[in-house]
Structure formats: structure tokens, C-alpha cells
Amino acid sequence: MVSPKYHVFVCTSCRINGQQSGYCYSKDSVDIVQKFVEGIEEYELSGDVMVTNTGCFGICDKGPVVVVYPEGVWYGNVSIDDVEEIIESHFEAGNPVERLII
Amino acid sequence: MVSPKYHVFVCTSCRINGQQSGYCYSKDSVDIVQKFVEGIEEYELSGDVMVTNTGCFGICDKGPVVVVYPEGVWYGNVSIDDVEEIIESHFEAGNPVERLII
């Protein structure tokens, strides 16, 4: 497997016991995942960007948390309204969104 | 946030609708997560390695799937018995386990 240019991990508070509950989940992170998936298609970036939902990163007070590898950019307090800016600025233009970096 | 030296993502088939079902989950990937967590503590690598469970990577036929960033090493068909080798060879000695790379 060749890694994508940007692999976006979005915490949806999946627990390994099968429950989905926690801070990121309560702050609409499932909608954030869907907005990323739709936006990446819209911007025709499917070849460059992969989106994966995750369990807790352990920094719930900074949630919703979005991590972008291989760069290792950590975004916090992400809202649905921030997703388009991340796609456009970071994934399309190559400039991470500084104001969201934690 | 500074990314860990090795961020290990293990698919536990978390779906964003809250269900946890799928191929990796059916092949004991929850136990794989727990084995990583315990092993990393045992090998005193907590400062270098972070473990996060995830939803589907879309390559279920190669599951259970384990991805290591920032390197972008993709492991497939991982079993509980492989976890100690990954910790020892990859995370402790710096040599990815070639036979498991997909």
C-alpha cells in the first residue's frame, strides 16, 4: 500500500467495546467526517486524500481532533465550518490552517 | 501537539453510525489493540508509540490492517501473535517487519 499524500484521521470517539461516545462525538465529529468525504470528492482530491474515523486521541479538551499524516499536523476545536478551509488551504494549496493547529 | 515517533492505527471496524462490525473486528483486532497497548507499556515505549483504533481503511481482504505513521508502513493479515514482533523489531529496533507489509 502506498500511503495517500494526506491521510486525515478524525476522532469520532469510537471505543473498542463498540460504544461511540465521548467529547468529539458529542461535538458533531461524525458530521465532520462526512463533510470531509463530500468535500474531497467535490474538490476532486480523492487521489490525494484519505479520510479515516478513529477512537480517542486522549486530548478530549481540545476536541474535535483531526490529525493529518504523514505531516503530523494536529488540528483542534474543529467545527463543520472549518472543513472546507482545511480542504482548500491545506490539501489543495499545501498550506495548513495555522489558527486550528494545536 | 508533537506527533509520536510511531503512531499505530489499528482497524477495529468502527463505523460512524456507532456499530463496530466488519472483517478486522471479526479477526480479533480489538485484542490486537489491547496487545499493542500492553506490549508498549511492557517494553517501556510509551514515550515513542501511540496506539489508536480506527474505522475501515477499505482494504478488508488484507485485514486485520495496522498502519504506522509518519512512516506510512501498512501491515496486513496481522494476528495477535505478530504484535510482539512488530513492537520489538519495528518500534524498538527500527526495522519494520517485512513479511507483514502489504
Side-chain angles (χ1 to χ4, degrees):
Chain A
M1 286 289 298
V2 177
S3 298
K5 187 170 176 188
Y6 300 108
H7 199 150
V8 187
F9 292 93
V10 181
C11 176
T12 56
S13 314
C14 289
R15 299 190 180 165
I16 57 172
N17 66 4
Q19 272 191 307
Q20 188 166 239
S21 67
Y23 189 77
C24 292
Y25 178 69
S26 76
K27 299 283 276 185
D28 299 326
S29 63
V30 165
D31 295 334
I32 292 174
V33 172
Q34 284 169 328
K35 184 98 181 184
F36 267 118
V37 170
E38 287 164 17
I40 285 158
E41 194 155 320
E42 200 185 311
Y43 280 80
E44 298 181 350
L45 291 170
S46 306
D48 288 340
V49 188
M50 184 182 286
V51 182
T52 303
N53 63 304
T54 75
C56 185
F57 288 113
I59 45 168
C60 306
D61 59 318
K62 298 190 168 63
V65 175
V66 173
V67 187
V68 183
Y69 276 110
E71 290 171 308
V73 171
W74 291 68
Y75 290 125
N77 308 301
V78 176
S79 75
I80 294 174
D81 295 336
D82 298 322
V83 172
E84 192 161 356
E85 187 179 349
I86 294 173
I87 294 173
E88 214 171 281
S89 173
H90 191 166
F91 305 149
E92 197 170 57
N95 303 312
V97 181
E98 293 293 338
R99 69 178 176 84
L100 295 172
I101 291 177
I102 52 176
Chain B
M1 284 287 298
V2 177
S3 298
K5 187 170 176 189
Y6 300 108
H7 200 151
V8 187
F9 293 93
V10 181
C11 176
T12 56
S13 313
C14 290
R15 298 189 179 165
I16 58 172
N17 66 4
Q19 271 191 307
Q20 188 166 240
S21 66
Y23 189 77
C24 293
Y25 178 68
S26 76
K27 299 284 276 184
D28 299 327
S29 63
V30 166
D31 295 334
I32 292 173
V33 172
Q34 284 169 327
K35 185 98 180 183
F36 268 118
V37 170
E38 288 163 16
I40 285 157
E41 194 156 319
E42 199 185 312
Y43 280 80
E44 298 180 351
L45 291 169
S46 306
D48 288 340
V49 189
M50 185 183 284
V51 183
T52 303
N53 63 304
T54 75
C56 187
F57 287 111
I59 46 168
C60 306
D61 60 320
K62 297 191 169 63
V65 176
V66 173
V67 188
V68 183
Y69 276 109
E71 290 171 311
V73 171
W74 292 67
Y75 290 124
N77 308 301
V78 176
S79 74
I80 294 174
D81 295 336
D82 297 323
V83 172
E84 193 161 355
E85 186 179 350
I86 294 173
I87 294 174
E88 214 171 283
S89 173
H90 192 164
F91 305 149
E92 199 173 55
N95 303 311
V97 181
E98 294 293 337
R99 69 179 177 83
L100 296 171
I101 291 176
I102 51 176

